[in-house]
């Protein structure tokens, strides 16, 4: 239905997803939507999709490719910098990216 399509596209847009194809399954009311979704945004995706489509959409996630995130993670105010800071905080790492010489052999 139209509300299901709206729910799917709403969730995909909010999660930075990119739809690459839509196909109807002949003889059924089902549709297959193929899209790319960043791994960072995939957490909670299934529950979010089901809640916005009334349980009518069922995702199947498969890894496809790596892609470099745009931006400089060394800039604290950039989106890439915020992702690095949030990840370090979640993992219990010290704030800020450590200097490179910390990882070089001292021999």
């Amino acid at each position: 239905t139209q509300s299901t399509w709206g729910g799917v596209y709403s969730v995909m847009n909010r999660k930075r997803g990119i739809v690459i194809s839509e196909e109807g399954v002949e003889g059924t009311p089902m549709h297959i939507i193929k899209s790319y979704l960043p791994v960072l945004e995939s957490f909670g995706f299934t529950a979010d999709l089901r809640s916005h489509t009334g349980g009518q959409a069922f995702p199947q996630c498969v890894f496809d490719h790596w892609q470099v995130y745009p931006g400089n993670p060394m800039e604290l105010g950039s989106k890439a910098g915020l992702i690095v800071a949030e990840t370090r905080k979640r993992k219990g790492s010290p704030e800020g990216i450590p200097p490179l010489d910390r990882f070089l052999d001292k021999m």
Side-chain angles (χ1 to χ4, degrees):
T1 66
Q2 205 64 5
S3 64
T4 302
W5 283 98
V8 169
Y9 277 91
S10 170
V11 172
M12 290 301 294
N13 286 332
R14 194 170 17 11
K15 297 276 192 176
R16 296 186 298 126
I18 299 170
V19 174
I20 55 173
S21 72
E22 299 175 12
E23 304 167 12
V25 178
E26 194 172 322
T28 71
M30 285 194 326
H31 285 78
I32 297 173
I33 300 173
K34 293 184 180 182
S35 61
Y36 295 136
L37 182 70
V39 172
L40 183 64
E41 302 290 347
S42 68
F43 300 103
F45 176 70
T46 299
D48 204 13
L49 184 65
R50 284 193 174 166
S51 71
H52 282 82
T53 61
Q56 294 183 2
F58 298 91
Q60 179 179 0
C61 300
V62 178
F63 179 79
D64 186 78
H65 67 279
W66 291 102
Q67 183 175 343
V68 175
Y69 192 85
N72 184 354
M74 303 298 272
E75 292 178 14
L76 297 178
S78 70
K79 180 68 175 169
L82 291 173
I83 290 171
V84 170
E86 290 169 3
T87 302
R88 293 185 67 77
K89 182 177 180 180
R90 185 180 72 241
K91 292 185 173 231
S93 299
E95 286 186 29
I97 299 174
L100 182 60
D101 64 353
R102 182 172 166 206
F103 300 100
L104 297 174
D105 286 335
K106 305 278 184 186
M107 295 177 94

